[in-house]
Amino acid sequence: MNTHEDSIDNGVNVEALLGARAALTQAPQAAAFVWRASSEWVRGTHTRSKVEKFFGLGEEQSRGKSFDFDTDHPEIFASEDNGATPVEFVLVALAGCIGAGIATVAQNRGIQLNSVKAVLEAPMDLQGILGIDGDVRNGFDHITVRYEIDADATEAEIAAIVAQSQKRSAVFDIVTNPTDVNVEVRKV
Amino acid sequence: MDARMSARATGSVDVVVIGAGQSGLAMSHFLSKRAIEHVVFERGDVANSWRTERWDSLRMLTPNWQMSLPGHAYSGSNPDSFMTMPEVTEFISAYARATNAPIASGTEVTSVSPIDGGYLVVTPDYRWIARAVVLASGAFNVPRIPAASSALPDDIHQLSAHDYSGPETLPDGGVLVVGGSATGVQLADEIYASGRPVTLAVGEHVRMPRTYRGHDIQYWMHVTGLLDERYDAVDDIVRARNVASPQLIGSDDARTLDLNSLTREGVRVNGRLASVRGRNVMFSGSLRNVCKLADLKLGRLLDAIDEWIDTNGAAEAGHPSRRYEPTRVGDTHRLAVDLHRDDIRTVVWATGFRPDYSWLDVPVVDRKGNLVHDGGVVSAPGLYVLGLPFMRRRKSSFLHGAEDDARELSEHLTAYLDGCAQPAYFRLAI
């Protein structure tokens, strides 16, 4: 790495990530991760979900703490608005994933970020989820992400960082490509 | 002696070269210059893949002036034109005749296995003991077909770019072409021109104008040194070796073929094929991003060319720097298509190729099926490979790229033979 790259700091430990990449190339089985969340219905449209442990590098991983997330619906749906709607969590996840990628790619390319702000918008026709019109899908019509980035780089370099971040983003992949979903139910 | 060896007549030779295409013949040329005894086995005729595994209308992506093999340059009167496959076949065949290469044609190598001090090379009629083996059997032997192909309904006609010869051989009705490399865009273009509606599924791709600032893009790739860029000088060689071929076509009018020109014609461009569930095909929502990636990469290439022109004072009047319209991704691309409702009868897989090493009984292939090598020096002593993408240089898989790689690897091979004590049975084997 040259001096210029040494002096920039987006708070991402690129050496550790590159080391992990090299290690996982040699031991692909350690790259098999499993992400988990648990949830419990509270009342009405309110559900509380918890994220704690995950599996990776060949063993159970514990953070030593957990994160709670309340999902609900706003009052115009006659709900109590105890949390963001689940679809808003999808936008949150997308922003978080691309954002992490932007910081990482910028660090790897020796580019200092000063500020990275995004506004996400996703139109949705409620005729889908309400079962009014079978031709309307339940989910988003599309998603628009608008980034405003202040960085020590050219416009093309910044655009390339954002494009590369999408290319390597798990959530971007999850929302742009189909995923097989298996929901099992057991009566208790 | 191994009992297996008595089954067929056995011979010995210093070097076996497998494949009489540009790579094998270039290697043969350098081995002959060094007076190294060798034989070139060719399963068919010289330039077999060019002769038998390309579609009818295909022309070279590189202009004629760039066509060269060691000591054998293009000498025709159309330096800026692009050879058809019969012309390439003749170019390579003429080279084989001129160099008097020791070719055994119609001789398929069915196995190569390590033995003490060398390799046992099996052909239908003979067993050969060779001290070194050069794999020059091509990088594009087997089509890579996504697993999704098996989920298509039986009434959909499927074929790979290997099996495609021309649009007239396809059923009437719509065609889905999968893949945005040179192959994918060329097939989409030609099939659409035959009157069949075409949908093109595009993932990551490389966009290039045919000409820029008064010259073919290959001229700029050459003079700026990009084609000579070495494998050990790039950041991520694994990635560089997996980049799709650029969206180029060789034509008399030197036209540019890209997603914008295809869209303008009427081809529907969708994202990467994401999944197949019977007649329902889904396409990725990543189309905008892969187009953006390609536009940005094109911008960087043109920046590098402009910079070279400025540095070298090579600007020509009437050919100013320019930038191209970004790839147009409107709101018309679709995420899902019902093949039956859209009357799509054919799916053409233009999803790339891989080399075939099924006959190579040497543990030099990794879990992904790639040969383990360092710039063509394979991880088993005395084993070499030629012609793979970005093997030693960006141009390694180009016809004109064979020369530099073959020269260097022939030097390595010579040193290997010189430093290697010859086991007694090499002299006793016949």
Side-chain angles (χ1 to χ4, degrees), chain A residues 21 24-25 28 109 137 141 155-157 159-164 166-168 172-173 176-178 180, chain B residues 204 236 238-239 272-275 277 282-289 292-293 296 300 303 331 335 367:
Chain A
R21 183 177 189 255
L24 293 181
T25 304
R109 294 183 181 181
R137 73 181 282 186
D141 298 338
E155 191 153 5
E157 286 168 338
I161 292 169
V162 176
Q164 179 66 16
Q166 291 169 72
K167 179 179 155 180
R168 286 275 163 261
F172 184 86
D173 174 63
T176 54
N177 294 308
D180 191 30
Chain B
E204 273 195 79
D236 187 343
V238 176
R239 189 160 130 196
R272 191 177 62 83
L273 185 129
S275 89
R277 287 287 160 94
M282 299 187 82
F283 301 92
S284 176
S286 64
L287 179 63
R288 283 173 215 280
N289 192 49
K292 185 77 181 173
L293 283 161
L296 288 164
R300 292 194 295 274
D303 286 349
D331 298 318
L335 300 172
R367 66 188 174 88

Side-chain angles (χ1 to χ4, degrees), chain A residues 7-183:
Chain A
S7 66
I8 76 115
D9 182 13
N10 296 325
V12 180
N13 187 342
V14 169
E15 283 77 15
L17 289 176
L18 293 176
R21 183 177 189 255
L24 293 181
T25 304
Q26 298 306 315
Q29 67 285 358
F33 274 59
V34 181
W35 299 106
R36 301 196 183 100
S38 59
S39 77
E40 186 165 6
W41 169 65
V42 181
R43 183 175 182 275
T45 53
H46 181 198
T47 291
R48 181 166 295 146
S49 300
K50 184 190 285 288
V51 162
E52 192 177 4
K53 291 178 178 166
F54 58 96
F55 180 89
L57 306 179
E59 58 185 349
E60 283 299 320
Q61 301 283 345
S62 180
R63 312 172 141 90
K65 61 183 172 185
S66 65
F67 300 105
D68 291 331
F69 302 92
D70 290 294
T71 51
D72 203 351
H73 288 93
E75 288 170 7
I76 59 162
F77 291 88
S79 291
E80 292 179 358
D81 210 7
N82 289 297
T85 62
V87 295
E88 289 164 323
F89 269 88
V90 174
L91 298 182
V92 169
L94 184 60
C97 199
I98 299 178
I102 288 171
T104 307
V105 174
Q107 181 87 43
N108 192 36
R109 294 183 181 181
I111 291 170
Q112 180 66 51
L113 299 173
N114 301 315
S115 85
V116 179
K117 292 177 182 170
V119 174
L120 294 88
E121 221 173 62
M124 178 193 277
D125 184 345
L126 287 197
Q127 294 185 88
I129 55 172
L130 294 176
I132 297 168
D133 184 340
D135 293 332
V136 176
R137 73 181 282 186
N138 295 343
F140 300 142
D141 298 338
H142 58 265
I143 300 173
T144 305
V145 186
R146 290 189 186 85
Y147 269 102
E148 286 192 3
I149 296 179
D150 175 6
D152 302 338
T154 65
E155 191 153 5
E157 286 168 338
I158 292 171
I161 292 169
V162 176
Q164 179 66 16
S165 171
Q166 291 169 72
K167 179 179 155 180
R168 286 275 163 261
S169 163
V171 178
F172 184 86
D173 174 63
I174 290 165
V175 298
T176 54
N177 294 308
T179 303
D180 191 30
V181 181
N182 177 19
V183 180

Side-chain angles (χ1 to χ4, degrees), chain B residues 64-135:
Chain B
N64 290 343
W65 58 261
Q66 207 166 24
M67 297 287 283
S68 73
L69 287 165
H72 185 74
Y74 174 77
S75 57
S77 51
N78 296 306
D80 296 322
S81 185
F82 302 88
M83 285 190 192
T84 63
M85 290 306 103
E87 287 166 342
V88 181
T89 301
E90 177 48 32
F91 183 83
I92 298 173
S93 300
Y95 183 66
R97 292 192 296 270
T99 56
N100 211 10
I103 302 167
S105 54
T107 306
E108 186 175 10
V109 171
T110 56
S111 124
V112 172
S113 52
I115 52 172
D116 188 19
Y119 296 92
L120 179 66
V121 179
V122 180
T123 64
D125 298 325
Y126 290 95
R127 289 169 183 271
W128 291 83
I129 291 167
R131 297 175 61 199
V133 173
V134 179
L135 313 174

